[in-house]
Amino acid sequence: MAFRELLVEVGCEEMPAGWIPGLEVQLAERLAARLAEARIAARTPIRAFVGPRRLVATVAELADRQSDLEETITGPPVRAAFDAEGEPTRAALGFARKQGVDVSALARVVTPKGEYLACHRRLAGRTTRSLLGGVLAATLRALSFPKAMRWDATLDDGRGEFLFGRPVRWLVFLFGGRVVPFAIGRTPGAAATGVAPIRSGDTTCGHRFFARDGGPGQPIEVTSFADYRQRLARAYVLIDRGERRARVTRKLDACARRVGGTVAPIETQSDLAREVPDLVEYPSVVTGTFPHEFLELPDEVLSTTMVHHQHYFPVVDAGGELLPHFLAVTNTPRDNVARIARNAERVLVARLRDARFFWDADRALRLEDRLDRLDTLLFHKRLGSYRAKSERTADLAERIAGETLGRPAAAGAARRAGALSKADLATDMVGEFPELQGIMGGVYARGEGEPERVWKAIYHHYLPVGVRPGDPPSRDELGAAAVTWAAVSIADKLDTVVGLFGAGEKPTGSRDPLGIRRQAQGMLRILIDLPELTGLKARATIGSLLAMGRGTHAELAAEGAGRMAAFLLERLRYLLEERGFDLRNVRAVTHQPLDEIRPLDARRKLEVLPALTETSDFRTLAALFKRVKNIARELSAAEAFDAPFEALLTEPAERALLAEVERRRTVIDRAVERGSGFREAFGAAAKIGPAVDRFFTEVFVMADDPQLRHARLRLMKQVEQLILQLADVSEIVPEA
Amino acid sequence: MTLQDLILTLSRFWSERGCLIQQPLDVEVGAGTMHPETFLRVLGPRHWSVAYVQPSRRPADGRFGENPNRLFKHHQFQVILKPSPDGAQRIYLDSLEACGIDPTRHDVRFEEDNWESPTLGAWGIGWQVLLDGLEITQFTYFQQAGGIDLAPISVELTYGLERIAMHLQGVDDVYDLQWAPGVSYGEVRHREEVEQSKYAFGEVDLPAGEFGRAHRDLFDRYYELAERLLASGLTLPALDHTLKCSHAFNLLDASGSIGVTERAAYILRVRKLAVAIAEAHVAWERDHHAAGEGAVATADGQARVDPGAERTAAGQAGGA
């Protein structure tokens, strides 16, 4: 079999930068899958390259024929195929006719159900060239986009209209250097001059404006992937993302050095650095400068303006201070085109001038004096204004700091931060840059002389947004405000979740317009990661917080309480699952009512569980625990401990189980009480497993003697209660 | 190039490419999209290409004539091409060259920016076009209007006239723009900006709360009237009054007279009207432009524009 090179380029209008990394992976995978389905062998890897205006895939060595298919088609059973005289029956004749052969040519196969007539067939593979059109159509259909668009296009694959991420404008489709015929059709309703099918060919387009080969917009003929890549590079298109990224990094560093600095290492910028190489086909960098006076603006405002609004990189000096320069990545052949730099400066300065106007105007009024304005900003029609919300947040933050987190000394500062937390919503800066909410409040509070535990609590109180360990904020960033931050952040979210649920707003399916899920997750994450985030050891239950929240929404609390409990449990499980914990384990450690679930304990249990669930003792216990629960259900929890019963248990197996329970109780109780030592506790619980097994083998619980029966039920109840404190291990029944 | 030269250049450019040159809608709107030449023409199968200037009022952007970049009212040059030609981007870039912007001397980029108008039940896929970091145009492939899936797909180009003129003239303050030789933008429009901003932000001699009440009242009256007009089969007047609702809502919003959830309720109400109007229009088109009724298309003036006429004919074939 011969092998030839496949080259596909789907030329399109500018694809969103954020989609490009995912598309590149998809393209290679989908094409590989479709080729495999079509039985076309690739001797070399399938490579994909995606940029703003093209999706490219190539295989250096692809078989030029489909592999043959050998198949056996089973017909009627032999006993039904021939009559008493040995003549073929109608069944046999029919089968042979359908297969297009004579009965005498049919084979026999032996199956577990008996002997059958069969027809062996060998389907010779078709040429790859004749199949590639179908492969490309199926590959294009299989690409998924965060948002696909309609553009009056169709594919001739029986499925009609063809949606894609952006309109396709040209197609290179070569196999062994020859064009494979293919077309994307257009809907009849769009047929007009200037609307035509897109037909495959051997010509591509270079950079939109700077192609050297043939000039901008002129087609570039290609014969192979190597030729294609080289010609495009000459036409100012780098198809390889890695190459574009490396070029961006190199040029940014060089340009920053030239103005005596380095590219600012701020957090948000990593997103920018990831995105920029996919915004351009041929990255270059221009350095811009803005007047010194704007450096008086807070770094957050400068960075937001540069990074979020303009996609510019800020530059810092050796001490990490912002310099009055920025770097813009352009889609041009040359660096530092003066005209482009001047224009970029004008755009940035206009925005900074706005920002400075807001900065000056906002500081004329203290945050505290803005609380009146919050009265006019409605949070929710049943929950009142943002002023009312701030007041509830202040009350809750004070109680959470003192009671939930056990830091009464921080309660006053938490209250203060809570009261001022929403004041920046009434500032012009946040009106203009909504993404700076909280941050500006913190910056203004700092300027007004509020202590760190207050201003930083305001600054970060919308966090956490991310739910993974290590997502911001970090303990270092929080500094002296760790406790007050946790209190205000929980208070704000608790008030929102309880209030909105009470007001009848609840997320359904994919709809969560008010972001209640994210709020609930933020709150739960603080509880789960409290030691890492704040250094505190508090192990609050979800129930205790809810009780506080309901206190502030007394008039609404009754509505939706049950639904909210189910919602919070579901969010907690989601969060824990997101961390990679096994769903069965997650269910096992969150089986209690919300009043008893301590998210931090749940996480600690989950961290030790995987190592234990593989031991045979644990598996024994888990397998039998459902039966323990079923039997124990006969008694209430209170009945299990009401009077001594041990003397009634005389069988060796029940004595042994009793002894095992007593021996293990201390370790388990201590772990549950302290919220630590769960590894030992689960180990101890597992040890009970074999004793339970023996008990079930040797002892009949439902004895005729009512007293004895009662004593045995109580033993079961004790086993159940002891283990349930840790987890409902029946959820963790290992797969057989 | 003066602001009026820019308008003339773009009008000439698009007229030469088969667009009907329409005039602004004489009702207050926030964007050229709300003009029936866009909102209604993109619906249904009939091909249509049109361009016009649309003065666009955004009460919340009013800055009392004090901000060099922000205006209560700015001007959009709006182009609709239906169906969207394959070379839409190229033709658009040619229009920039016609205005004196040579893309090879700049960094011209198409960056993702999908457009959505919740009040019109309309959305599209597209980009903002950046010229050395300055947003000069919104480029959108319409996908839905009035909640109805569109076929064929129209492309909408919305040029920000002030911004492009500022770039061309190299001025940093919109009021310094030359509208015509020797006449500044400030001379033409500054007073209007000051007065309209005061109005938009409720600096009106009225008892407390009265400003909001008056506009809520206007909203309700326009709304009821729009509903009656629609029920009477008068789709275009119904659209006018829906747009008046939308503007009254924008004024309420800018003056801080409505809260967050109330806001959502207002948007939903306007959207309901917009959807009903779109449906009524599609039904009207179906009844009046059945296959073969070429005379209607000719009568409304489109046949005078050659490429457009060709499109119309093809569109009817497609819609038949």
Side-chain angles (χ1 to χ4, degrees):
Chain A
M1 187 172 297
F3 290 83
R4 300 183 199 283
E5 185 191 73
L6 172 71
L7 171 62
V8 183
E9 182 198 44
V10 181
C12 56
E13 296 185 352
E14 280 78 352
M15 214 40 98
W19 300 359
I20 287 176
L23 276 177
E24 201 166 87
V25 175
Q26 275 194 54
L27 179 59
E29 285 177 0
R30 306 287 196 271
L31 179 59
R34 299 294 98 83
L35 286 172
E37 275 169 24
R39 307 197 312 277
I40 302 172
R43 200 154 67 174
T44 55
I46 290 156
R47 301 169 72 194
F49 303 90
V50 179
R53 289 179 72 210
R54 56 200 87 222
L55 287 74
V56 185
T58 185
V59 188
E61 294 184 34
L62 189 67
D64 69 354
R65 285 198 87 81
Q66 184 182 39
S67 20
D68 296 342
L69 184 68
E70 286 181 32
E71 59 179 356
T72 300
I73 300 152
T74 321
V78 171
R79 58 182 155 72
F82 301 97
D83 59 20
E85 283 78 48
E87 292 300 313
T89 61
R90 287 178 58 165
L93 290 168
F95 176 64
R97 190 168 51 245
K98 203 164 160 211
Q99 300 307 317
V101 294
D102 194 76
V103 174
S104 61
L106 290 172
R108 296 185 179 196
V109 290
V110 180
T111 76
K113 287 192 282 178
E115 202 180 2
Y116 283 74
L117 282 187
C119 177
H120 293 302
R121 282 213 319 202
R122 187 186 166 85
L123 270 176
R126 296 166 56 194
T127 63
T128 293
R129 164 170 293 278
S130 67
L131 295 164
L132 276 175
V135 167
L136 180 59
T139 303
L140 294 178
R141 287 276 191 202
L143 293 177
S144 71
F145 300 90
K147 207 170 199 169
M149 67 174 281
R150 300 176 51 227
W151 55 291
D152 302 324
T154 57
L155 276 184
D156 189 17
D157 59 356
R159 286 171 59 191
E161 187 167 8
F162 173 55
L163 276 64
F164 208 63
R166 286 290 184 277
V168 176
R169 294 306 181 210
W170 75 87
L171 272 170
V172 174
F173 196 7
L174 296 178
F175 184 57
R178 282 175 56 213
V179 174
V180 182
F182 186 84
I184 298 174
R186 310 307 297 267
T187 56
T193 356
V195 182
I198 295 91
R199 296 187 195 285
S200 58
D202 59 357
T203 55
T204 180
C205 298
H207 188 288
R208 205 184 257 297
F209 306 115
F210 299 100
R212 222 179 302 179
D213 276 18
Q218 297 304 306
I220 301 168
E221 246 178 77
V222 297
T223 55
S224 67
F225 177 65
D227 177 53
Y228 164 85
R229 186 174 185 155
Q230 193 183 14
R231 280 173 188 267
L232 275 184
R234 291 211 340 249
Y236 298 108
V237 175
L238 301 177
I239 60 163
D240 187 335
R241 299 183 57 231
E243 201 178 329
R244 294 196 299 270
R245 193 166 49 236
R247 193 177 147 94
V248 166
T249 310
R250 195 173 66 239
K251 285 175 172 283
L252 284 174
D253 287 345
C255 288
R257 245 195 333 274
R258 215 167 301 141
V259 292
T262 53
V263 180
I266 52 169
E267 218 277 322
T268 44
Q269 210 189 285
S270 55
D271 287 340
L272 184 62
R274 255 197 304 278
E275 185 171 332
V276 158
D278 288 326
L279 282 170
V280 295
E281 294 209 295
Y282 200 83
S284 293
V285 172
V286 300
T287 313
T289 301
F290 55 86
H292 246 277
E293 60 198 83
F294 292 113
L295 288 176
E296 291 163 18
L297 285 168
D299 286 2
E300 292 85 350
V301 174
L302 284 167
S303 297
T304 296
T305 312
M306 286 188 257
V307 175
H308 290 273
H309 294 240
Q310 291 303 129
H311 287 160
Y312 296 160
F313 291 82
V315 182
V316 294
D317 66 15
E321 299 292 320
L322 283 173
L323 290 169
H325 301 291
F326 64 89
L327 307 172
V329 175
T330 58
N331 190 25
T332 57
R334 285 195 304 123
D335 291 330
N336 287 315
V337 178
R339 184 183 315 103
I340 297 176
R342 293 298 87 74
N343 285 331
E345 286 167 2
R346 287 174 55 205
V347 178
L348 182 66
V349 166
R351 284 189 180 273
L352 291 177
R353 212 183 282 136
D354 270 4
R356 193 181 50 195
F357 174 81
F358 300 137
W359 171 244
D360 290 340
D362 283 348
R363 286 179 306 155
L365 200 60
R366 295 175 63 84
L367 284 179
E368 194 152 4
D369 298 326
R370 291 186 181 277
L371 295 178
D372 282 341
R373 271 266 337 260
L374 287 188
D375 252 338
T376 65
L377 275 177
L378 193 68
F379 169 59
H380 186 279
K381 62 175 180 286
R382 292 187 65 190
L383 304 173
S385 69
Y386 271 100
R387 175 169 203 160
K389 179 163 177 53
S390 316
E391 285 164 6
R392 292 193 302 265
T393 304
D395 288 343
L396 282 171
E398 180 179 17
R399 286 188 59 195
I400 291 168
E403 299 169 28
T404 314
L405 305 177
R407 283 288 186 278
R415 177 177 192 85
R416 174 85 180 147
L420 296 177
S421 60
K422 302 297 170 190
D424 66 356
L425 295 180
T427 63
D428 289 340
M429 191 73 86
V430 173
E432 179 69 11
F433 302 112
E435 64 269 38
L436 287 178
Q437 64 179 2
I439 294 172
M440 281 324 295
V443 169
Y444 289 136
R446 181 177 62 197
E448 290 171 15
E450 295 288 347
E452 183 177 325
R453 356 184 245 162
V454 172
W455 75 258
K456 276 196 177 169
I458 300 172
Y459 190 104
H460 294 293
H461 85 276
Y462 287 98
L463 297 177
V465 174
V467 294
R468 289 165 311 190
D471 280 342
S474 70
R475 199 166 161 199
D476 277 355
E477 282 165 332
L478 293 169
V483 177
T484 46
W485 163 76
V488 176
S489 177
I490 294 174
D492 178 34
K493 295 167 182 61
L494 179 63
D495 174 72
T496 300
V497 173
V498 175
L500 290 177
F501 255 90
E505 307 276 3
K506 55 177 196 302
T508 50
S510 62
R511 272 185 57 78
D512 183 16
L514 302 171
I516 303 177
R517 286 195 183 110
R518 209 183 39 168
Q519 298 278 323
Q521 284 157 206
M523 175 173 94
L524 292 169
R525 191 199 145 201
I526 299 178
L527 298 181
I528 290 176
D529 293 331
L530 197 69
E532 288 78 6
L533 289 165
T534 67
L536 294 174
K537 295 196 174 74
R539 301 150 50 215
T541 62
I542 300 177
S544 67
L545 281 178
L546 276 189
M548 273 189 212
R550 279 199 285 267
T552 52
H553 288 288
E555 71 294 355
L556 294 173
E559 290 180 50
R563 275 200 313 272
M564 180 166 63
F567 164 77
L568 285 173
L569 183 58
E570 174 208 325
R571 287 299 98 195
L572 176 64
R573 287 177 172 169
Y574 164 80
L575 232 87
L576 293 168
E577 249 195 286
E578 279 291 289
R579 298 196 169 194
F581 295 122
D582 184 274
L583 176 60
R584 290 170 304 173
N585 294 4
V586 169
R587 289 185 175 282
V589 301
T590 55
H591 70 92
Q592 308 100 313
L594 281 188
D595 288 340
E596 292 166 28
I597 298 181
R598 300 175 191 276
L600 178 56
D601 284 7
R603 172 192 135 195
R604 290 198 163 134
K605 289 173 187 172
L606 288 167
E607 283 165 352
V608 302
L609 261 179
L612 287 155
T613 48
E614 296 309 311
T615 64
S616 75
D617 284 356
F618 192 95
R619 292 166 79 112
T620 305
L621 178 71
L624 294 172
F625 196 64
K626 186 160 189 156
R627 199 164 149 201
V628 172
K629 283 195 333 186
N630 282 339
I631 295 169
R633 196 175 295 145
E634 305 279 321
L635 289 183
S636 71
E639 280 178 293
F641 296 92
D642 57 0
F645 63 97
E646 292 84 348
L648 292 166
L649 302 177
T650 54
E651 295 278 341
E654 58 193 12
R655 296 300 307 171
L657 177 56
L658 185 63
E660 203 62 64
V661 167
E662 290 311 322
R663 192 172 314 136
R664 308 297 171 194
R665 183 184 297 285
T666 326
V667 178
I668 296 174
D669 283 352
R670 196 170 53 212
V672 170
E673 192 193 320
R674 295 184 183 169
S676 64
F678 287 121
R679 185 185 306 278
E680 294 73 20
F682 275 112
K687 295 261 168 43
I688 302 176
V692 174
D693 192 22
R694 182 177 165 204
F695 176 84
F696 280 140
T697 316
E698 297 180 14
V699 179
F700 181 59
V701 180
M702 292 303 170
D704 290 338
D705 174 3
Q707 272 194 310
L708 180 58
R709 183 168 73 225
H710 194 66
R712 285 176 179 164
L713 285 173
R714 285 174 57 187
L715 178 58
M716 283 292 97
K717 194 75 186 177
Q718 288 212 358
V719 171
E720 180 206 34
Q721 293 299 306
L722 184 64
I723 308 288
L724 277 182
Q725 295 183 83
L726 287 174
D728 181 352
V729 296
S730 69
E731 297 276 1
I732 319 180
V733 180
E735 279 135 28
Chain B
M1 182 178 277
T2 62
L3 181 63
Q4 67 187 30
D5 277 341
L6 178 61
I7 292 171
L8 292 169
T9 304
L10 286 172
S11 302
R12 166 73 50 200
F13 179 90
W14 287 106
S15 150
E16 284 167 358
R17 278 153 192 82
C19 284
L20 185 84
I21 301 300
Q22 252 282 15
Q23 300 302 314
L25 182 66
D26 53 345
V27 171
E28 310 95 314
V29 291
T33 309
M34 301 170 124
H35 196 308
E37 284 297 325
T38 294
F39 179 60
L40 297 183
R41 294 288 189 191
V42 298
L43 294 163
R46 280 225 305 160
H47 294 191
W48 195 257
S49 293
V50 62
Y52 53 92
V53 175
Q54 183 62 55
S56 302
R57 298 177 186 227
R58 305 260 169 99
D61 283 344
R63 291 291 183 274
F64 305 91
E66 288 166 10
N67 185 300
N69 301 297
R70 207 66 79 84
L71 296 166
F72 168 92
K73 186 169 95 181
H74 69 287
H75 295 80
Q76 299 181 342
F77 190 89
Q78 170 89 353
V79 179
I80 289 290
L81 306 176
K82 177 187 180 187
S84 155
D86 297 344
Q89 281 184 319
R90 184 68 252 163
I91 306 171
Y92 163 75
L93 291 167
D94 288 345
S95 78
L96 292 187
E97 293 206 47
C99 298
I101 297 169
D102 175 359
T104 63
R105 293 163 62 81
H106 295 278
D107 180 35
V108 177
R109 293 239 286 273
F110 292 81
E111 285 193 11
E112 179 193 17
D113 192 9
N114 298 331
W115 170 87
E116 184 176 9
S117 165
T119 44
L120 292 180
W123 65 278
I125 295 271
W127 309 273
Q128 49 175 332
V129 182
L130 299 176
L131 171 65
D132 299 339
L134 176 72
E135 185 193 346
I136 53 169
T137 303
Q138 185 76 36
F139 190 119
T140 309
Y141 291 108
F142 270 30
Q143 302 284 303
Q144 257 195 358
I148 297 172
D149 281 339
L150 303 179
I153 298 297
S154 302
V155 63
E156 176 199 61
L157 309 173
T158 304
Y159 299 78
L161 288 172
E162 279 86 352
R163 284 194 181 176
I164 295 173
M166 284 169 77
H167 168 85
L168 290 171
Q169 295 182 23
V171 302
D172 290 329
D173 187 331
V174 67
Y175 297 104
D176 293 339
L177 270 181
Q178 294 293 300
W179 185 299
V183 183
S184 75
Y185 192 89
E187 276 179 77
V188 181
R189 293 216 51 246
H190 186 265
R191 176 183 165 198
E192 186 187 353
E193 282 295 318
V194 176
E195 293 189 2
Q196 293 285 14
S197 297
K198 286 183 177 172
Y199 165 50
F201 293 105
E203 292 184 17
V204 182
D205 187 13
L206 276 172
E210 220 22 71
F211 183 86
R213 201 163 308 131
H215 286 83
R216 277 166 211 273
D217 193 41
L218 281 177
F219 182 97
D220 290 338
R221 280 157 175 267
Y222 289 142
Y223 198 91
E224 282 162 29
L225 188 51
E227 285 181 315
R228 295 320 311 154
L229 289 164
L230 189 60
S232 313
L234 304 175
T235 310
L236 291 170
L239 177 60
D240 287 348
H241 287 82
T242 303
L243 297 178
K244 283 177 177 291
C245 283
S246 174
H247 185 59
F249 161 75
N250 287 343
L251 284 162
L252 283 167
D253 201 21
S255 59
S257 309
I258 39 178
V260 184
T261 41
E262 199 187 1
R263 197 171 179 279
Y266 268 107
I267 291 175
L268 212 66
R269 284 183 72 192
V270 179
R271 183 195 155 95
K272 221 174 115 193
L273 269 183
V275 166
I277 286 168
E279 285 165 358
H281 175 76
V282 170
W284 188 92
E285 281 274 325
R286 207 167 30 231
D287 296 344
H288 291 74
H289 289 286
E293 261 189 66
V296 179
T298 315
D300 68 15
Q302 209 195 11
R304 268 176 265 146
V305 190
D306 277 348
E310 195 180 319
R311 278 188 190 151
T312 306
Q316 284 173 350

